[in-house]
Structures are given as C-alpha cells and as structure tokens.
Amino acid sequence: MKTRVGILGYGNLGRGVECAVSKTSDMELVAVFTRRDPESVKIVSDGVKVDNVANIEEYKDKIDVLIICGGSATDLPKQTPVYAKMFNVIDSFDTHARIPEHFANVDAAAKEGGHIGIISVGWDPGMFSLQRAYANAILPNGKDYTFWGRGVSQGHSDAIRRIPGVKDAKQYTVPVPAALEKVRNGENPELTTREKHTRECYVVLEDGADAEAVRQAIVTMPNYFADYDTTVNFISEEELKANHSGIPHGGQVIRTGSTGWNNENKHVIEYSLKLDSNPEFTSSVLIAYARAAVKLSAEGQTGCKTVFDIAPKYLMDISEADMRAHLL
Amino acid sequence: MKTRVGILGYGNLGRGVECAVSKTSDMELVAVFTRRDPESVKIVSDGVKVDNVANIEEYKDKIDVLIICGGSATDLPKQTPVYAKMFNVIDSFDTHARIPEHFANVDAAAKEGGHIGIISVGWDPGMFSLQRAYANAILPNGKDYTFWGRGVSQGHSDAIRRIPGVKDAKQYTVPVPAALEKVRNGENPELTTREKHTRECYVVLEDGADAEAVRQAIVTMPNYFADYDTTVNFISEEELKANHSGIPHGGQVIRTGSTGWNNENKHVIEYSLKLDSNPEFTSSVLIAYARAAVKLSAEGQTGCKTVFDIAPKYLMDISEADMRAHLL
C-alpha cells in the first residue's frame, strides 16, 4: 500500500512536493489543504482533492503524513504543533535561533497525538546540518564554515521590493571566491560577514523613481545589506523576467580539521549543493523525511525528531539489504 | 564514566585510532591487542596494556568496544565475527562485493553474543556510502559518480613492489579533471574506467634493473593498470622518501539529478574529501562509530549495523539539545 500524503499550503514549496510525490512509486497524494477558497486553487495532479484547511480533521484516517509547506516566520510555529496532534507531520522550519522552542512545542503535541513530527527539513537546516554533524563527529579538532549561494534570497528580494520606487527586484547571495579558497586551503581564516558573502541586486524601478535614492536605501539597510558589499543593477522589467525568473540556490559546508599527535595532518571535508530550484530541492528532501516519519510511526515511535535522530535507512524505498549491496 | 576502548591490530590504522581516542574527552584506551610478541610492540600511550590477542577474552568486562584494525582480505572476515561474540566491535571492512556475506556473519555472531557490530566504517565504505544514500533518497531521478584521489593506493603500490627489479614504489590514483568537470556540469556522461582515473607511479629501481622492462610490466598489469593511462616515473630512493612518504587520499561523491514536471531543473550534490592521512581520517570515523556502538548497546540493541542504520545523534559526545541548538 502506498503512503498517503497530504500537503498543507500550495505555494512554491507545496507545488514542489506535489511534483516530487508524483515521481515516487511508494507515495500518493491524497489532498492539498489551503486557507484560500479551494475553488481558486488549481493544482496539477488529476483526481486529487483540494480542501479548506478547516476540514483537515476529517482526513485523520485518510492521510499517513502531512507535509506542512508554510513560512517559518508566522505559519509553522503555529501550524506544526496543531497538526502534529492529528497527523505525522514534516516541516521546513528554518529560523535557526528558534529551533529549540519549536522542537519543544512540536514534541509535546506529537507525543499527545501519538505521532511523529519531523522539523527543520530541507537543505539548511537539513542536509547542511547533517554535514555539520557528521564532520564535527569525525574531526572534533576543526572549524566549520557555511557559505550560501550563488542563489536567490527571497527575504532580501522582498526587502528591496518594499522600498518606494521599486517595482520588482531579485537579490543574489554570492560567496566571496577568495574566502572560499582560503577555507579550502585549510588556512582556518576568521571571516567577517563582509568577507564571506557579497549581495547582487537586480532592480526594476517605477517610472520616475530616483535610482540613486533607491541604491542608497538598499546598501544602507540594516541587517539585510549594511554589513555586506552590495552591488545594485538597474534593469528593465523584460530583462528581469528573461534572466532572473528562476529560484536557484546552493552553497557549501566545509569543515577543516587536523589529526595526529601534533595535529600535523590536515583534512578538508566539503559538501556542496548547486540547485536550479531551491523549492523543488527542498521538497525532495521533505518527501524523503515524510517516508521516514511513516516508518518511525509504524515502529511505535512518537514525538519530535530532526535529521539528527533519523538513520539514513529510513529515507529510501529500497530494502536495507539492497542499500548494503549497492550503496555501501 | 569514559567509554573503554580496545584496539586489535597495531598498524597504521591502529596507531591512528590510538591517537584519535587520546584526543576525546569521553573515551579511554584500555588495551592494544596484537598477534605479535607484545614486548615487541611499542605504543605511544603511557599506562596502556599491550597484550597478545590470545588473552583477549579476559577483557570481556573491561572493554566497552573493540576497534578491529585488520585487513579486509583475510583478517576481518574471520576476526569480526569471532570478537562480536565477546565485545561490541567496529571494523572498516572495505571489500564492497563481500559486504552482504560479512554482514550476515557478523549479525549472527553479534546477536549470539548480545552485542553490536558495526562494519564497513571509514570513508569508502563509510562517509561516501552515506553521501550516496542521502543523495539517492533526495534525488531519485539522477546518476551517481564516485572519484578517488589524488591519493596513494596501497594495493597498487604493493603490486608494483612485487615486480622484479623494483626496490620501492608509490602509486597515486588521480581523477581525470575533464571527467570531473563534465559530471559537475550535469552532463551525465557515461565514463569508462580509463576516462575516470589515471595512475601515477613513482618507482625506485634496484641497481642494474631494466627500466623499460619494469615500465612495461607495470602498464600492462591486468586489473591494476592495464585499463588505465599510467605514468611511470623513476626516481631515487631519497626523492621517494622526501616527496612521497605521506599517505594522502580523498575523492568525490557526486550525484546529479533533476526535478520538475519535465525534469527541467538540474541539481548537483557533491561531497569531497581532501585528506593528508588516509589511515588517521579512517580512524577518526571509526571512533565516532565506536561511540555509537556503545550507545546502541546500552539501549539494548544487538546485531550487525552499518552507517545506514545509525542516526547521526549517536556519533557525537554532545547532547541532542546542543546538537539542535548549534548544528541544526
């Protein structure tokens, strides 16, 4: 029998999950839940129900795992604990500083409901976190570096769009090549924020807007841009559409460390992602962990889990013997 | 209380484990076991017993985990099942084709003894296997590539040393840059053995040996060199010592795949290792999994495990809450 999947929220991430589920042989999509009028939400899959989230409890016995595709700022802190009482759930909560609090809330709810809740699944947090954990376990005497990009930061693009005079914008986070090289060479540099990443902005102005004022507003914006070397490029709406409509991302997790009685031997562990579509890749990670949630639940486990708690064997739909024979 | 570690076999790997254990705060080395005369084995650590392996059963209650540092060809297939009856054990068995058989033998023995046996721990198999598993779970529609090097192959160096007229030799396995680039670009190439790696040999001849005959013997050697583009460099003994006495290694696991309804979005996942000392890095992985074996055993689990069966949280000596707060 296939694992029955529900999706809550039909933005970029929900759409990615829909597509990824359709390509598995062990999962089927049962329903997409939305806060909007279900009639207004057109999904790709045939024969799959779109329902208002208000009716979600009716699906308690029709869904094995609910993939929650909301935002981390306001949606997930509320949604994941609520739905962990009814379903096995997965989310991609990515506000690093608030993970302990979110974990505690989801843990209590999932245990109350007798379900599994896996939080902070994706690539960072998620795959990058795994790499940090494995690399720290292996090379305790070392130093971690995480670089993001070249890729689109949705938060920074939104921040630019809120500036008066800006019609549309896209912001790329870009690692500084010299910093990357120092790290890869095992030089263990201390890097400031400015030394690690630059920010590249592509901005479409409203008619008559003051370009220099917009540029100043961007490069001096606290938290978002002030601590970075930021380049602002003004382009036409057509150019933005033609060259900047994708949502690529990626990055590197690097740990450099040493072994030997006198720390004489250096080692570099590097994990790198180059992604054409950030939401589709995140979706792919989400459904691998959705598979794990159902297996853990079938074993009688409950409560909140993260990628650190889950053995790799739970993520695949091939047997453990096949994994040993073909992947080990 | 610290985890009490035993080491069986005191070659490069055993020495690496000794050093790595000394740098942890949660483990202590109790004894090194050898098939040689214990008096002849000088270890680095003070106050640690060197004993003949014939006496190992006396340590049944004095050791929490035994790290078996033998060779895969003849030692480990015999040793790991025998000692899994007495101890929690870890090995680095790396004959990929014989893993299913080794797993079955260790599983039966470990269950009989009520212990945990973790096999095939290191970087390949080991960390590279983990990367293959995670990447396959996330990108089911894709293709795997593993490159090794630039690094010293002990087996190939030994094969050269057996040729008449050769006094000493070192062989490096080197990935072909053009092949790596094609893979990283997502071109999904089909690569022959010759297209993936070249072999670089540094050979010291005996006095009066025929260099051209040695070169021919190397480059035509079946299995080891015949299928590769092999370069043979004749150098002096001093040069070999000065420039080729290390045991560096490394490599890349790359998976390229696509997502989207029409597979329109490409993704590249790459894991790369650059290691100054192959045995010391392998040792570092071994002790992380030794820690895991003791924790799994304390939970009442028994039987054979691989890296696929073990959640990352078991590998570290920090709390799960600290992992979530600092590494997620």
Side-chain angles (χ1 to χ4, degrees), chain A residues 23 103 125 127 129 131-132 134 138 184 259-261 263 265-266 268 270 272 274 276 280 284 308 313 324 327-328, chain B residues 22-23 103 125 127 129 131-132 134 138 184 259-260 263 265-266 268 270 272 274 276 280 284 308 312-313 324 327-328:
Chain A
K23 301 202 170 190
F103 182 91
M127 289 298 112
S129 321
Q131 300 301 331
R132 286 188 283 263
Y134 280 118
I138 298 168
R184 284 179 177 147
T259 60
W261 294 103
N263 292 317
N265 289 311
K266 311 288 178 204
V268 182
E270 176 168 348
S272 148
K274 220 173 84 189
D276 272 2
E280 285 183 7
S284 300
F308 298 146
K313 68 175 175 181
R324 284 191 295 270
L327 295 169
L328 198 61
Chain B
S22 81
K23 301 201 170 188
F103 182 91
M127 288 299 112
S129 321
Q131 300 301 330
R132 286 188 282 264
Y134 281 118
I138 298 168
R184 284 178 178 147
T259 60
N263 292 318
N265 289 311
K266 310 289 178 203
V268 182
E270 176 169 348
S272 149
K274 220 173 85 191
D276 273 1
E280 285 182 7
S284 301
F308 298 146
K313 68 174 174 182
R324 286 191 294 271
L327 294 170
L328 197 60

Short mmCIF file of all heavy atoms in Angstrom, two decimals, chain A residues 23 103 125 127 129 131-132 134 138 184 259-261 263 265-266 268 270 272 274 276 280 284 308 313 324 327-328, chain B residues 22-23 103 125 127 129 131-132 134 138 184 259-260 263 265-266 268 270 272 274 276 280 284 308 312-313 324 327-328:
data_model
loop_
_atom_site.label_atom_id
_atom_site.label_comp_id
_atom_site.label_asym_id
_atom_site.label_seq_id
_atom_site.Cartn_x
_atom_site.Cartn_y
_atom_site.Cartn_z
N LYS A 23 6.43 11.49 -8.57
CA LYS A 23 7.52 10.72 -9.20
C LYS A 23 8.00 9.55 -8.35
O LYS A 23 8.92 8.84 -8.74
CB LYS A 23 8.68 11.66 -9.50
CG LYS A 23 8.22 12.77 -10.44
CD LYS A 23 9.33 13.42 -11.19
CE LYS A 23 8.72 14.33 -12.25
NZ LYS A 23 9.71 14.83 -13.18
N PHE A 103 10.97 22.88 18.57
CA PHE A 103 11.12 21.45 18.86
C PHE A 103 10.27 21.06 20.07
O PHE A 103 9.54 20.07 20.04
CB PHE A 103 12.60 21.11 19.11
CG PHE A 103 12.85 19.65 19.38
CD1 PHE A 103 13.16 18.79 18.33
CD2 PHE A 103 12.77 19.13 20.67
CE1 PHE A 103 13.37 17.43 18.56
CE2 PHE A 103 12.99 17.77 20.91
CZ PHE A 103 13.29 16.92 19.86
N PRO A 125 18.19 24.65 7.40
CA PRO A 125 18.60 23.41 8.07
C PRO A 125 18.18 22.17 7.28
O PRO A 125 17.22 22.21 6.52
CB PRO A 125 17.85 23.47 9.40
CG PRO A 125 16.67 24.34 9.15
CD PRO A 125 17.11 25.34 8.15
N MET A 127 20.08 19.12 5.09
CA MET A 127 21.28 18.45 4.58
C MET A 127 22.56 19.12 5.09
O MET A 127 23.52 18.45 5.43
CB MET A 127 21.28 18.44 3.04
CG MET A 127 20.26 17.50 2.43
SD MET A 127 20.55 15.76 2.89
CE MET A 127 19.11 15.47 3.92
N SER A 129 22.91 20.72 7.87
CA SER A 129 23.04 20.38 9.30
C SER A 129 23.65 18.99 9.46
O SER A 129 24.51 18.77 10.32
CB SER A 129 21.66 20.38 9.96
OG SER A 129 20.85 21.42 9.48
N GLN A 131 25.62 17.49 7.44
CA GLN A 131 27.04 17.55 7.11
C GLN A 131 27.84 18.15 8.26
O GLN A 131 28.94 17.69 8.56
CB GLN A 131 27.26 18.36 5.82
CG GLN A 131 26.55 17.78 4.61
CD GLN A 131 26.99 16.35 4.29
OE1 GLN A 131 28.11 15.95 4.57
NE2 GLN A 131 26.10 15.56 3.71
N ARG A 132 27.29 19.19 8.89
CA ARG A 132 27.98 19.77 10.05
C ARG A 132 28.13 18.72 11.15
O ARG A 132 29.19 18.59 11.76
CB ARG A 132 27.20 20.99 10.57
CG ARG A 132 27.33 22.23 9.69
CD ARG A 132 26.70 23.47 10.34
NE ARG A 132 25.24 23.48 10.24
CZ ARG A 132 24.53 24.13 9.31
NH1 ARG A 132 25.15 24.83 8.37
NH2 ARG A 132 23.21 24.09 9.32
N TYR A 134 28.04 15.28 10.98
CA TYR A 134 28.98 14.20 10.64
C TYR A 134 30.42 14.72 10.69
O TYR A 134 31.32 14.06 11.21
CB TYR A 134 28.68 13.64 9.24
CG TYR A 134 27.54 12.66 9.19
CD1 TYR A 134 26.39 12.92 8.45
CD2 TYR A 134 27.60 11.44 9.86
CE1 TYR A 134 25.33 12.02 8.38
CE2 TYR A 134 26.55 10.52 9.81
CZ TYR A 134 25.41 10.82 9.06
OH TYR A 134 24.37 9.92 9.00
N ILE A 138 33.51 13.51 13.22
CA ILE A 138 34.73 12.88 12.70
C ILE A 138 35.98 13.69 13.01
O ILE A 138 37.02 13.15 13.32
CB ILE A 138 34.62 12.71 11.16
CG1 ILE A 138 33.45 11.81 10.82
CG2 ILE A 138 35.91 12.13 10.61
CD1 ILE A 138 33.13 11.84 9.36
N ARG A 184 39.19 26.38 1.81
CA ARG A 184 39.53 25.10 1.18
C ARG A 184 41.00 24.75 1.32
O ARG A 184 41.37 23.58 1.36
CB ARG A 184 39.17 25.15 -0.31
CG ARG A 184 37.68 25.03 -0.54
CD ARG A 184 37.36 25.12 -2.04
NE ARG A 184 35.94 24.94 -2.26
CZ ARG A 184 35.24 25.54 -3.22
NH1 ARG A 184 35.85 26.39 -4.05
NH2 ARG A 184 33.95 25.32 -3.35
N THR A 259 44.44 15.93 12.45
CA THR A 259 44.64 14.75 13.28
C THR A 259 46.14 14.54 13.45
O THR A 259 46.95 15.23 12.81
CB THR A 259 44.04 13.49 12.62
OG1 THR A 259 44.69 13.28 11.35
CG2 THR A 259 42.54 13.62 12.40
N GLY A 260 46.49 13.58 14.28
CA GLY A 260 47.90 13.29 14.52
C GLY A 260 48.32 13.83 15.87
O GLY A 260 47.72 14.78 16.38
N TRP A 261 49.35 13.24 16.45
CA TRP A 261 49.79 13.63 17.80
C TRP A 261 50.11 15.10 17.87
O TRP A 261 49.90 15.76 18.89
CB TRP A 261 50.98 12.77 18.24
CG TRP A 261 50.60 11.32 18.41
CD1 TRP A 261 50.85 10.30 17.55
CD2 TRP A 261 49.87 10.75 19.51
NE1 TRP A 261 50.32 9.12 18.05
CE2 TRP A 261 49.72 9.36 19.25
CE3 TRP A 261 49.32 11.27 20.70
CZ2 TRP A 261 49.05 8.49 20.12
CZ3 TRP A 261 48.66 10.40 21.56
CH2 TRP A 261 48.52 9.04 21.27
N ASN A 263 48.88 17.30 15.56
CA ASN A 263 47.94 17.91 14.60
C ASN A 263 48.62 18.19 13.28
O ASN A 263 48.34 19.20 12.63
CB ASN A 263 47.35 19.20 15.18
CG ASN A 263 46.45 18.91 16.35
OD1 ASN A 263 45.65 17.97 16.30
ND2 ASN A 263 46.57 19.67 17.42
N ASN A 265 48.48 16.48 10.43
CA ASN A 265 47.77 16.11 9.21
C ASN A 265 46.46 16.87 9.09
O ASN A 265 45.60 16.80 9.97
CB ASN A 265 47.54 14.60 9.18
CG ASN A 265 48.83 13.84 8.94
OD1 ASN A 265 49.57 14.18 8.02
ND2 ASN A 265 49.12 12.86 9.78
N LYS A 266 46.30 17.57 7.98
CA LYS A 266 45.12 18.41 7.75
C LYS A 266 44.11 17.66 6.87
O LYS A 266 44.51 16.90 5.98
CB LYS A 266 45.52 19.71 7.04
CG LYS A 266 46.69 20.45 7.66
CD LYS A 266 46.32 21.11 8.96
CE LYS A 266 47.52 21.81 9.60
NZ LYS A 266 47.36 21.97 11.06
N VAL A 268 40.20 18.25 4.78
CA VAL A 268 39.13 19.15 4.37
C VAL A 268 37.93 18.31 3.92
O VAL A 268 38.04 17.47 3.03
CB VAL A 268 39.55 20.07 3.20
CG1 VAL A 268 38.43 21.03 2.84
CG2 VAL A 268 40.83 20.85 3.55
N GLU A 270 34.19 18.78 2.38
CA GLU A 270 33.34 19.80 1.76
C GLU A 270 32.09 19.17 1.16
O GLU A 270 32.16 18.17 0.45
CB GLU A 270 34.11 20.55 0.66
CG GLU A 270 33.22 21.55 -0.08
CD GLU A 270 33.99 22.51 -0.99
OE1 GLU A 270 35.22 22.58 -0.90
OE2 GLU A 270 33.31 23.18 -1.79
N SER A 272 28.76 20.33 -1.11
CA SER A 272 28.36 21.45 -1.94
C SER A 272 27.06 21.13 -2.68
O SER A 272 26.85 20.01 -3.15
CB SER A 272 29.51 21.72 -2.92
OG SER A 272 29.04 22.21 -4.14
N LYS A 274 24.42 22.67 -5.74
CA LYS A 274 24.20 23.62 -6.84
C LYS A 274 22.82 23.31 -7.37
O LYS A 274 22.62 22.29 -8.04
CB LYS A 274 25.26 23.40 -7.93
CG LYS A 274 25.81 24.67 -8.56
CD LYS A 274 26.97 24.39 -9.49
CE LYS A 274 26.51 23.99 -10.89
NZ LYS A 274 27.63 23.51 -11.74
N ASP A 276 19.15 24.23 -9.25
CA ASP A 276 18.39 25.08 -10.17
C ASP A 276 17.13 25.62 -9.52
O ASP A 276 16.67 26.72 -9.85
CB ASP A 276 17.98 24.29 -11.42
CG ASP A 276 19.04 24.32 -12.50
OD1 ASP A 276 20.11 24.92 -12.27
OD2 ASP A 276 18.80 23.73 -13.58
N GLU A 280 12.08 23.20 -5.20
CA GLU A 280 11.93 21.79 -5.63
C GLU A 280 12.93 20.88 -4.94
O GLU A 280 12.62 19.73 -4.63
CB GLU A 280 12.06 21.67 -7.15
CG GLU A 280 10.83 22.19 -7.87
CD GLU A 280 10.91 22.01 -9.39
OE1 GLU A 280 11.85 21.37 -9.88
OE2 GLU A 280 10.00 22.51 -10.07
N SER A 284 12.07 17.80 -2.30
CA SER A 284 12.59 16.45 -2.45
C SER A 284 13.12 15.91 -1.12
O SER A 284 12.97 14.73 -0.80
CB SER A 284 13.70 16.42 -3.50
OG SER A 284 13.19 16.85 -4.75
N PHE A 308 18.96 14.75 12.76
CA PHE A 308 19.97 14.10 13.58
C PHE A 308 19.48 12.78 14.20
O PHE A 308 20.27 11.93 14.59
CB PHE A 308 20.42 15.01 14.73
CG PHE A 308 21.05 16.30 14.27
CD1 PHE A 308 20.88 17.47 15.00
CD2 PHE A 308 21.83 16.34 13.13
CE1 PHE A 308 21.48 18.65 14.59
CE2 PHE A 308 22.43 17.52 12.70
CZ PHE A 308 22.25 18.68 13.44
N LYS A 313 18.70 4.78 6.58
CA LYS A 313 17.91 3.68 6.01
C LYS A 313 16.42 4.01 5.91
O LYS A 313 15.71 3.45 5.08
CB LYS A 313 18.08 2.41 6.83
CG LYS A 313 17.49 2.47 8.23
CD LYS A 313 17.58 1.13 8.94
CE LYS A 313 17.10 1.26 10.38
NZ LYS A 313 17.19 0.00 11.12
N ARG A 324 22.78 -2.04 1.37
CA ARG A 324 24.13 -2.54 1.68
C ARG A 324 24.83 -3.05 0.42
O ARG A 324 26.02 -2.83 0.22
CB ARG A 324 24.05 -3.66 2.72
CG ARG A 324 23.79 -3.16 4.12
CD ARG A 324 23.99 -4.28 5.14
NE ARG A 324 23.02 -5.34 5.00
CZ ARG A 324 21.84 -5.39 5.62
NH1 ARG A 324 21.46 -4.42 6.43
NH2 ARG A 324 21.01 -6.40 5.43
N LEU A 327 24.83 0.55 -2.28
CA LEU A 327 25.23 1.91 -1.92
C LEU A 327 26.38 1.97 -0.93
O LEU A 327 27.05 2.99 -0.80
CB LEU A 327 24.03 2.69 -1.35
CG LEU A 327 22.89 2.94 -2.32
CD1 LEU A 327 21.67 3.47 -1.58
CD2 LEU A 327 23.30 3.92 -3.41
N LEU A 328 26.59 0.87 -0.16
CA LEU A 328 27.64 0.90 0.85
C LEU A 328 29.02 0.88 0.19
O LEU A 328 29.89 1.64 0.55
CB LEU A 328 27.49 -0.31 1.80
CG LEU A 328 28.23 -0.19 3.13
CD1 LEU A 328 27.75 0.98 3.96
CD2 LEU A 328 28.03 -1.47 3.96
N SER B 22 42.92 9.35 22.17
CA SER B 22 43.59 10.20 23.17
C SER B 22 43.09 11.63 23.15
O SER B 22 43.24 12.36 24.12
CB SER B 22 45.11 10.18 22.94
OG SER B 22 45.45 11.08 21.89
N LYS B 23 42.48 12.02 22.02
CA LYS B 23 42.02 13.41 21.90
C LYS B 23 40.54 13.59 22.24
O LYS B 23 40.03 14.70 22.17
CB LYS B 23 42.31 13.91 20.49
CG LYS B 23 43.80 13.83 20.20
CD LYS B 23 44.25 14.72 19.09
CE LYS B 23 45.77 14.74 19.06
NZ LYS B 23 46.30 15.72 18.15
N PHE B 103 28.26 -9.03 6.52
CA PHE B 103 27.16 -8.55 7.36
C PHE B 103 26.44 -9.72 8.01
O PHE B 103 26.18 -9.71 9.23
CB PHE B 103 26.17 -7.72 6.51
CG PHE B 103 25.03 -7.14 7.31
CD1 PHE B 103 25.13 -5.88 7.87
CD2 PHE B 103 23.86 -7.86 7.50
CE1 PHE B 103 24.09 -5.34 8.62
CE2 PHE B 103 22.80 -7.33 8.25
CZ PHE B 103 22.92 -6.07 8.80
N PRO B 125 34.11 2.17 2.03
CA PRO B 125 32.76 2.47 2.51
C PRO B 125 32.77 3.29 3.80
O PRO B 125 33.72 3.24 4.56
CB PRO B 125 32.16 1.09 2.77
CG PRO B 125 33.33 0.20 3.03
CD PRO B 125 34.43 0.72 2.17
N MET B 127 31.72 7.22 4.94
CA MET B 127 31.19 8.56 4.64
C MET B 127 30.70 8.66 3.19
O MET B 127 29.66 9.27 2.93
CB MET B 127 32.26 9.63 4.89
CG MET B 127 32.57 9.87 6.36
SD MET B 127 31.11 10.45 7.27
CE MET B 127 30.83 9.05 8.32
N SER B 129 29.52 6.25 1.40
CA SER B 129 28.28 5.48 1.32
C SER B 129 27.11 6.31 1.82
O SER B 129 26.02 6.30 1.23
CB SER B 129 28.39 4.21 2.17
OG SER B 129 29.67 3.64 2.09
N GLN B 131 26.83 9.50 1.80
CA GLN B 131 26.51 10.52 0.81
C GLN B 131 25.73 9.93 -0.35
O GLN B 131 24.79 10.55 -0.86
CB GLN B 131 27.79 11.21 0.31
CG GLN B 131 28.58 11.89 1.41
CD GLN B 131 27.80 12.97 2.14
OE1 GLN B 131 26.91 13.60 1.56
NE2 GLN B 131 28.10 13.19 3.41
N ARG B 132 26.12 8.74 -0.79
CA ARG B 132 25.36 8.08 -1.87
C ARG B 132 23.92 7.85 -1.42
O ARG B 132 22.97 8.09 -2.18
CB ARG B 132 26.02 6.76 -2.25
CG ARG B 132 27.31 6.91 -3.05
CD ARG B 132 27.84 5.57 -3.58
NE ARG B 132 28.52 4.78 -2.57
CZ ARG B 132 29.84 4.76 -2.37
NH1 ARG B 132 30.64 5.48 -3.13
NH2 ARG B 132 30.37 4.00 -1.43
N TYR B 134 22.06 9.38 1.08
CA TYR B 134 21.28 10.62 1.22
C TYR B 134 20.95 11.20 -0.16
O TYR B 134 19.84 11.63 -0.42
CB TYR B 134 22.06 11.66 2.04
CG TYR B 134 22.00 11.44 3.54
CD1 TYR B 134 23.16 11.18 4.27
CD2 TYR B 134 20.80 11.51 4.24
CE1 TYR B 134 23.12 10.99 5.65
CE2 TYR B 134 20.75 11.32 5.62
CZ TYR B 134 21.92 11.06 6.32
OH TYR B 134 21.88 10.88 7.68
N ILE B 138 17.20 11.75 -1.89
CA ILE B 138 16.69 13.09 -2.22
C ILE B 138 16.43 13.25 -3.71
O ILE B 138 15.46 13.86 -4.12
CB ILE B 138 17.71 14.16 -1.79
CG1 ILE B 138 17.90 14.10 -0.29
CG2 ILE B 138 17.24 15.54 -2.20
CD1 ILE B 138 19.09 14.91 0.16
N ARG B 184 30.31 17.56 -12.95
CA ARG B 184 29.87 18.74 -12.19
C ARG B 184 28.96 19.64 -13.01
O ARG B 184 28.10 20.33 -12.47
CB ARG B 184 31.09 19.55 -11.73
CG ARG B 184 31.79 18.90 -10.56
CD ARG B 184 33.02 19.71 -10.17
NE ARG B 184 33.66 19.11 -9.02
CZ ARG B 184 34.98 19.13 -8.79
NH1 ARG B 184 35.78 19.72 -9.65
NH2 ARG B 184 35.47 18.56 -7.72
N THR B 259 14.61 17.63 -11.10
CA THR B 259 13.25 17.67 -10.56
C THR B 259 12.39 18.51 -11.50
O THR B 259 12.90 19.15 -12.43
CB THR B 259 13.22 18.31 -9.16
OG1 THR B 259 13.72 19.66 -9.25
CG2 THR B 259 14.07 17.53 -8.16
N GLY B 260 11.10 18.55 -11.20
CA GLY B 260 10.18 19.33 -12.01
C GLY B 260 9.37 18.40 -12.91
O GLY B 260 9.81 17.30 -13.24
N ASN B 263 11.39 17.45 -15.66
CA ASN B 263 12.80 17.33 -15.27
C ASN B 263 13.62 18.52 -15.73
O ASN B 263 14.77 18.39 -16.13
CB ASN B 263 13.39 16.03 -15.86
CG ASN B 263 12.77 14.81 -15.22
OD1 ASN B 263 12.58 14.78 -14.01
ND2 ASN B 263 12.43 13.82 -16.03
N ASN B 265 14.66 21.14 -13.98
CA ASN B 265 15.60 21.73 -13.03
C ASN B 265 16.67 20.73 -12.61
O ASN B 265 16.37 19.64 -12.12
CB ASN B 265 14.84 22.25 -11.80
CG ASN B 265 14.03 23.49 -12.15
OD1 ASN B 265 14.55 24.42 -12.76
ND2 ASN B 265 12.75 23.49 -11.79
N LYS B 266 17.92 21.11 -12.82
CA LYS B 266 19.06 20.23 -12.54
C LYS B 266 19.65 20.58 -11.17
O LYS B 266 19.67 21.75 -10.77
CB LYS B 266 20.15 20.42 -13.60
CG LYS B 266 19.67 20.35 -15.04
CD LYS B 266 19.27 18.95 -15.45
CE LYS B 266 18.74 18.90 -16.88
NZ LYS B 266 17.87 17.75 -17.11
N VAL B 268 23.08 19.52 -8.49
CA VAL B 268 24.34 18.80 -8.30
C VAL B 268 24.66 18.75 -6.81
O VAL B 268 24.75 19.80 -6.16
CB VAL B 268 25.51 19.47 -9.06
CG1 VAL B 268 26.79 18.66 -8.87
CG2 VAL B 268 25.19 19.64 -10.53
N GLU B 270 27.56 17.45 -4.26
CA GLU B 270 28.94 16.96 -4.27
C GLU B 270 29.51 16.91 -2.86
O GLU B 270 29.40 17.87 -2.09
CB GLU B 270 29.82 17.86 -5.15
CG GLU B 270 31.29 17.44 -5.11
CD GLU B 270 32.16 18.12 -6.16
OE1 GLU B 270 31.62 18.76 -7.07
OE2 GLU B 270 33.40 17.99 -6.04
N SER B 272 33.15 16.06 -0.97
CA SER B 272 34.55 15.94 -1.33
C SER B 272 35.42 15.83 -0.08
O SER B 272 35.18 16.50 0.93
CB SER B 272 34.91 17.17 -2.17
OG SER B 272 36.25 17.53 -1.99
N LYS B 274 39.56 15.78 1.19
CA LYS B 274 40.97 16.02 0.87
C LYS B 274 41.74 15.71 2.15
O LYS B 274 41.69 16.49 3.10
CB LYS B 274 41.17 17.49 0.45
CG LYS B 274 42.13 17.69 -0.71
CD LYS B 274 42.14 19.15 -1.18
CE LYS B 274 43.07 20.01 -0.37
NZ LYS B 274 42.90 21.47 -0.64
N ASP B 276 45.11 14.49 4.36
CA ASP B 276 46.57 14.34 4.46
C ASP B 276 46.95 12.92 4.87
O ASP B 276 47.99 12.42 4.48
CB ASP B 276 47.15 15.30 5.50
CG ASP B 276 47.48 16.66 4.92
OD1 ASP B 276 47.24 16.86 3.71
OD2 ASP B 276 47.98 17.52 5.67
N GLU B 280 44.60 8.00 9.38
CA GLU B 280 44.15 8.81 10.53
C GLU B 280 42.72 9.29 10.35
O GLU B 280 41.96 9.37 11.31
CB GLU B 280 45.09 10.00 10.77
CG GLU B 280 46.40 9.57 11.40
CD GLU B 280 47.32 10.75 11.71
OE1 GLU B 280 46.90 11.91 11.56
OE2 GLU B 280 48.48 10.48 12.09
N SER B 284 39.44 8.26 12.67
CA SER B 284 38.53 9.24 13.27
C SER B 284 37.07 8.85 13.04
O SER B 284 36.23 9.04 13.92
CB SER B 284 38.80 10.62 12.68
OG SER B 284 40.14 11.00 12.92
N PHE B 308 24.28 3.08 7.52
CA PHE B 308 22.89 3.37 7.14
C PHE B 308 21.91 3.22 8.29
O PHE B 308 20.81 3.75 8.25
CB PHE B 308 22.45 2.45 5.99
CG PHE B 308 23.24 2.60 4.74
CD1 PHE B 308 23.48 1.50 3.93
CD2 PHE B 308 23.76 3.83 4.36
CE1 PHE B 308 24.20 1.62 2.75
CE2 PHE B 308 24.49 3.96 3.18
CZ PHE B 308 24.71 2.86 2.37
N PRO B 312 22.68 10.14 13.11
CA PRO B 312 23.84 10.98 13.42
C PRO B 312 24.00 11.33 14.90
O PRO B 312 25.12 11.48 15.39
CB PRO B 312 23.59 12.25 12.59
CG PRO B 312 22.68 11.82 11.48
CD PRO B 312 21.87 10.67 12.00
N LYS B 313 22.89 11.43 15.63
CA LYS B 313 22.99 11.84 17.04
C LYS B 313 23.87 10.90 17.86
O LYS B 313 24.42 11.31 18.89
CB LYS B 313 21.60 11.91 17.67
CG LYS B 313 20.92 10.56 17.83
CD LYS B 313 19.60 10.68 18.59
CE LYS B 313 18.88 9.34 18.59
NZ LYS B 313 17.57 9.41 19.28
N ARG B 324 20.91 20.32 18.35
CA ARG B 324 19.84 21.10 17.72
C ARG B 324 20.14 22.59 17.79
O ARG B 324 19.91 23.34 16.84
CB ARG B 324 18.49 20.81 18.39
CG ARG B 324 17.92 19.46 18.01
CD ARG B 324 16.47 19.33 18.47
NE ARG B 324 16.33 19.33 19.91
CZ ARG B 324 16.39 18.24 20.67
NH1 ARG B 324 16.57 17.05 20.14
NH2 ARG B 324 16.23 18.33 21.98
N LEU B 327 24.11 22.96 15.73
CA LEU B 327 24.50 22.36 14.45
C LEU B 327 23.35 22.31 13.44
O LEU B 327 23.58 22.18 12.24
CB LEU B 327 25.04 20.94 14.66
CG LEU B 327 26.35 20.84 15.44
CD1 LEU B 327 26.64 19.40 15.80
CD2 LEU B 327 27.50 21.42 14.62
N LEU B 328 22.10 22.37 13.94
CA LEU B 328 20.96 22.26 13.02
C LEU B 328 20.86 23.52 12.17
O LEU B 328 20.71 23.46 10.97
CB LEU B 328 19.67 22.03 13.81
CG LEU B 328 18.49 21.48 13.01
CD1 LEU B 328 18.78 20.14 12.37
CD2 LEU B 328 17.25 21.35 13.89
#
